[in-house]
């Protein structure tokens, strides 16, 4: 049978490729963007209780009201913005579904969507799938800053959406209050929708604060904000996330959501509702992951890799330009084959595959695994 592809340029993604190679060579795997340790036993017990207590049929399409109300209270406490739990919050099958549904709801044929590179790989295929035109902007310098003149220059009458991600995967950078204010000022007189990917909202280091789009009134009025309980509570396999948006945007979002997944895992929503009632469960993540970041960086301080410490997420970029001038994909493959250590080359996320000789390592791992990785990195010359 012959058929045409709606995504003819999409093949095996880098995560699948590296994961397969890592398994083949039995490599220490710091390419995987998820924790290798168990979640809080209390959360697991709450999930077990929910299963046993009969919450095993469909949840409401928007998500259980109690979870939506708890999320509303959490956002108001942290960011000073009130989202109505009935009309402005939806529980989703992870942040990826929230992002897919957001783009598919609003992007039409020939609409332009600004994407900042390096960009996580789930944005652009969806834009293409629904006939949109990707307008990429490469973030600049070792700290991946926005050139605001460039940003303003690409906004036009066909610009429908801007996609941002803070804290940022793969770079580990965060947007400052100044960044968000500049974005707000530029978008203020437009009808452009902001899709704000904030899945690492509770993983920010060195005393900094996460600058959610919810904190900025004009941005909030045009934003769909996506987040992930999987990232926050070490349960990526549960695939439960949420998004918030003004009522007018959320009404349109839910029209598509109901025909995509309709509703989300009911017992896990019950468990998460109870777990969220103790704020330290998410407010303690900053120090938890900063300890892991610092442990990893201390362990590789004598290596030849150059480091700018991650400001957020559980990813750390390492610059290997003093070791070799090989392309990052080649070097990543060599690390796996010759040294049994897996990472992700950053060029695959960049505009025109720009290669800055950087690899992404995930430090959401046990100290034993981080020690194994550090021993390998310290031997590479």
């Amino acid at each position: 049978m012959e058929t045409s592809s709606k995504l003819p340029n999409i093949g095996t993604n880098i995560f699948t490729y590296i994961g397969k190679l890592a398994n083949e060579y039995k490599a220490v795997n710091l390419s995987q963007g998820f924790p290798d340790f168990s979640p809080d036993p209390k959360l697991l017990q709450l999930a077990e209780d929910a299963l046993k207590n009969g919450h095993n049929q469909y949840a409401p399409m928007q998500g259980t009201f109690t979870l939506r109300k708890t999320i509303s209270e959490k956002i108001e406490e942290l960011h000073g913005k009130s989202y109505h739990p009935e009309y402005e919050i939806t529980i989703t099958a992870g942040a990826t579904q929230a992002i897919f549904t957001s783009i598919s709801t609003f992007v039409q044929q020939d609409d332009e969507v600004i994407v900042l590179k390096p960009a996580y790989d789930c944005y652009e295929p969806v834009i293409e799938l629904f006939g949109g035109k990707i307008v990429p902007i490469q973030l600049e310098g070792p700290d991946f800053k926005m050139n605001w003149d460039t940003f303003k220059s690409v906004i036009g009458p066909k610009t429908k959406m801007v996609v941002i991600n803070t804290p940022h995967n793969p770079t580990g950078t965060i947007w400052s209050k100044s960044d968000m204010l500049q974005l707000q000022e530029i978008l203020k007189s437009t009808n452009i929708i902001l899709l704000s990917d904030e899945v690492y909202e509770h993983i920010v280091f060195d005393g900094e604060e996460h600058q959610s789009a919810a904190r900025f009134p004009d941005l909030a009025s045009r934003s769909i904000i996506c987040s992930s309980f999987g990232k926050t509570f070490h349960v990526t396999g549960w695939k439960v996330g949420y998004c918030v948006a003004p009522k007018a945007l959320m009404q349109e979002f839910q029209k598509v959501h109901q025909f995509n997944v309709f509703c989300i895992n009911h017992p896990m929503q019950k468990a998460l509702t109870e777990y969220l009632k103790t704020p330290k469960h998410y407010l303690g993540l900053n120090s938890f992951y900063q300890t892991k970041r610092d442990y990893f960086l201390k362990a590789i301080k004598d290596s030849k890799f150059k480091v700018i410490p991650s400001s957020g997420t559980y990813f750390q970029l390492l610059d290997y330009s003093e070791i070799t001038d090989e392309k990052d994909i080649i070097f990543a493959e060599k690390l796996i084959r010759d040294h049994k250590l897996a990472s992700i080359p950053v060029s695959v996320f960049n505009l025109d595959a720009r290669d800055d000789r950087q690899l992404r390592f995930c430090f959401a791992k046990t100290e034993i695994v981080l020690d194994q990785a550090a021993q390998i990195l310290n031997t590479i010359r």
Side-chain angles (χ1 to χ4, degrees), residues 192-203:
I192 296 169
I193 295 168
L194 179 66
L195 177 54
S196 188
D197 178 353
E198 302 184 15
V199 300
Y200 298 99
E201 59 178 326
H202 297 298
I203 309 177

Side-chain angles (χ1 to χ4, degrees), residues 2-6:
E2 293 184 4
T3 185
S4 60
S5 173
K6 295 187 74 174

Side-chain angles (χ1 to χ4, degrees), residues 12 80 94 97 125 140 144 156 162 173 178-179 204 289 298 309 336 374 380:
T12 302
Q97 185 247 315
E140 297 181 351
F144 299 93
V162 174
T173 57
S178 175
D179 289 322
V204 178
Y289 275 118
K298 183 178 180 181
I336 295 171
I380 297 171

Side-chain angles (χ1 to χ4, degrees), residues 154-279:
V154 302
I155 291 178
K158 292 186 176 182
T159 306
K160 186 61 169 285
M161 180 179 284
V162 174
V163 183
I164 67 170
N165 174 207
T166 181
H168 186 259
N169 178 15
T171 68
T173 57
I174 59 174
W175 277 38
S176 67
K177 182 178 180 180
S178 175
D179 289 322
M180 300 300 283
L181 287 171
Q182 289 195 70
L183 179 64
Q184 177 171 252
E185 183 62 28
I186 293 168
L187 298 183
K188 184 179 293 184
S189 60
T190 75
N191 288 316
I192 296 169
I193 295 168
L194 179 66
L195 177 54
S196 188
D197 178 353
E198 302 184 15
V199 300
Y200 298 99
E201 59 178 326
H202 297 298
I203 309 177
V204 178
F205 308 137
D206 303 315
E208 298 292 336
E209 288 189 340
H210 169 53
Q211 299 296 326
S212 173
R215 292 188 173 194
F216 303 88
D218 187 74
L219 289 184
S221 73
R222 66 179 69 248
S223 291
I224 306 167
I225 301 172
C226 303
S227 197
S228 166
F229 291 119
K231 296 293 193 299
T232 300
F233 296 133
H234 326 315
V235 286
T236 58
W238 288 15
K239 291 300 291 180
V240 182
Y242 65 89
C243 66
V244 301
K247 182 178 179 180
L249 295 179
M250 188 56 74
Q251 283 180 327
E252 295 304 310
F253 177 96
Q254 289 178 352
K255 289 178 185 179
V256 177
H257 170 81
Q258 68 181 329
F259 295 114
N260 186 353
V261 295
F262 184 75
C263 67
I264 310 307
N265 190 311
H266 196 172
M268 300 314 173
Q269 291 189 58
K270 290 293 184 180
L272 288 163
T273 301
E274 291 302 312
Y275 198 67
L276 283 166
K277 290 179 180 178
T278 304

Side-chain angles (χ1 to χ4, degrees), residues 309-326:
S310 171
S311 296
T313 75
Y314 42 57
F315 300 114
Q316 176 62 56
L317 296 191
L318 298 184
D319 180 322
Y320 65 86
S321 58
E322 293 186 358
I323 298 171
T324 178
D325 61 0
E326 291 176 308

Side-chain angles (χ1 to χ4, degrees), residues 351-363:
L351 180 60
D352 299 324
R354 191 182 83 179
D355 193 337
D356 295 322
R357 308 300 188 263
Q358 294 174 321
L359 302 176
R360 190 201 78 172
F361 293 82
C362 177
F363 55 81

